[in-house]
Amino acid sequence: MEMREQTEDPEPNNIESTEPDHKKSTEKRITACLVNAAFFGALGSSYLYGYNLSVVNAPALYIKKFYNQTWTERYGEPIGADMVTMLWSITVSIFAIGGLLGALCVTLLTKLIGRKGTLLLNNGFAVIAALLLALGEKARSFEMLIIGRFIMGVDSGIALSALPMYLGEISPRHMRGSIGQFNSILICLGVFTGQVLGLPELLGQESRWNFLFAFLALPALLQLCVLPFLPESPRFLLMERRDEAGAEKAFRAFLGKKDVSKELEEVHAESRAQNTLHMASVTELMLNPALRWQVITVMVTMACYQLCGLNAIWYYTNGILRDSGFAENVIPYIVLSTGGIETLAAVVSDQYSWMPYLSFTCILAVIASFCSGPGGIPFVLTGELFEQSYRPAAFMIAGIVNWVANFAVGLLFPFMQESLQTYAFLVFLVVCVLGAVYLYFILPETKNKTFMDISQSFAKINKVPLGDKEIENELAIKAGSKEVEKNGKVIIDGEMESSF
């Protein structure tokens, strides 16, 4: 008996000692799987978006020269300076028009072919755009460059909506923020890659600038090779396709464990709630008094995101630095660290010899603060301010504001620079100040708060009742969701949120 007790005693101790290691091992498997999905998902999506923000900057002079040569060959006379500016502005800004179209199509695509399927299909747009942009010079057609930029915009519009949706649905709640950061990190990495490849020693030469656009196909092809082997969103498989076996397999891959019954039941419960939930339209969202200031806040945030001057820097960095006083042979290297507004330097750069270096310092400071802070906030904030039935409409409004503002910057900034010269960035300064004042007084802290907590924060300025029940009823009635009464309490369908 003694021997048996001695041999049986260590068992519980072994279990206790190995349990933390097993839990740690499972956590590592979760992280590895999610990181792979997040990285390769973002590589052919947000990375390409960032790359396209900066890639047009380095070859700007060569492309304008190509436009002039093509125009002369066709019409027998040089192109006018205003027409060159117009064609170049259209080439840069039509990217945003394509983005708007892509954002409007993404809801239908993600519903028909899934989140991962949409990302895979989107690579086709990137490859087509790369071919048009790379071969436009050979074909002596500047129209191919404009069409290629438009198609690349469609790719980015789809990517910036489909990728956050995919990452949000495959990430456990406690990892959603860190996994979601891959979106903004890869955007910044894409911008930096475009600047590096634009150096004169690499592809920033008159004989090589078309290879800058051919590079677009590489991340898309890499994603096409890897993403098919990663799981689809388990939430999409279960709620949209009713594929429980596929969802279970996806959960196992992402969680690194065999028993995923709890996760499946959570999504089943959400699915039952969604079956009775009416998805609000854009019109219903705009007319709902309980969400009026949330909508305004999203629109202001998205507008400031594009109108802070950052995209003007990325699109037209060389010209701005040239006006700031840097020597021509130094500019390509300074461009590597661009990414923000240089209001002070743009105003007085021609008065003091040390102002170009202050310009450089301002650019470094703004790109660091933007990418580590507000760079990813607007997309996350849109999901936090609205419950499930309103999110699709809210993301559509946010997407429209985002791409229209992007288009305005790309099209109008060259003309602003010509007319206002060193004072052009004061326009962006005014936008930033007004946006900061609005957000300081109106936007509440959303960290670790539920949808009802955030709704109560907005209730006073929305002039709706402060009680939880009244807010729930107001939202439910406007969204057309069904109420289930149980034990004298009103339960709103769709209030339940899965951990995935």
Side-chain angles (χ1 to χ4, degrees), residues 27 87 120 123 147 182 241 269 299 326 347 446 456 460:
E27 197 69 30
L87 284 176
L120 288 172
N123 290 311
I147 295 171
F182 272 85
R241 293 284 176 83
M299 295 175 71
F326 281 99
V347 172
T446 61
Q456 282 196 335
K460 187 175 181 180

Side-chain angles (χ1 to χ4, degrees), residues 116-146:
K116 189 181 80 169
T118 299
L119 293 175
L120 288 172
L121 175 66
N122 204 30
N123 290 311
F125 291 113
V127 173
I128 293 171
L131 290 173
L132 288 170
L133 289 163
L135 299 176
E137 184 189 26
K138 297 288 184 184
R140 312 305 293 170
S141 171
F142 56 77
E143 292 87 354
M144 288 177 63
L145 270 67
I146 295 173

Side-chain angles (χ1 to χ4, degrees), residues 291-309:
L291 295 171
R292 181 179 297 118
W293 282 95
Q294 288 93 314
V295 173
I296 295 173
T297 299
V298 165
M299 295 175 71
V300 169
T301 307
M302 278 297 180
C304 292
Y305 177 75
Q306 294 294 343
L307 300 179
C308 67

Side-chain angles (χ1 to χ4, degrees), residues 1 9 19 33 58-59 67 183 185 197 216 220 222 240 255 267-268 274 312 345 347 356 411 424 437 440 450 452 488:
M1 288 290 294
D9 268 349
E19 188 175 357
C33 185
Y67 285 178
N183 189 33
I185 291 172
L197 293 181
L216 291 168
L222 284 174
E240 302 285 345
L255 297 177
V267 181
H268 271 304
Q274 293 299 310
V347 172
L411 182 66
V437 171
Y440 179 81
T450 66
M452 290 309 304

Side-chain angles (χ1 to χ4, degrees), residues 52 56 60 63-64 67 71 79 81-99 133 142-154 213 315-316 403 406-415 418:
N52 276 279
V56 294
I63 294 176
K64 289 178 182 178
Y67 285 178
W71 188 278
I79 191 172
D82 290 341
M83 181 58 70
V84 170
T85 303
M86 176 60 72
L87 284 176
W88 179 238
S89 297
I90 291 173
T91 304
V92 172
S93 60
I94 203 168
F95 175 74
I97 297 298
L133 289 163
F142 56 77
E143 292 87 354
M144 288 177 63
L145 270 67
I146 295 173
I147 295 171
R149 283 283 292 176
F150 174 79
I151 295 175
M152 200 62 231
V154 174
F213 297 111
Y315 286 150
Y316 304 109
W403 288 107
N406 189 313
F407 173 76
V409 171
L411 182 66
L412 299 178
F413 182 75
F415 299 100
E418 285 182 7

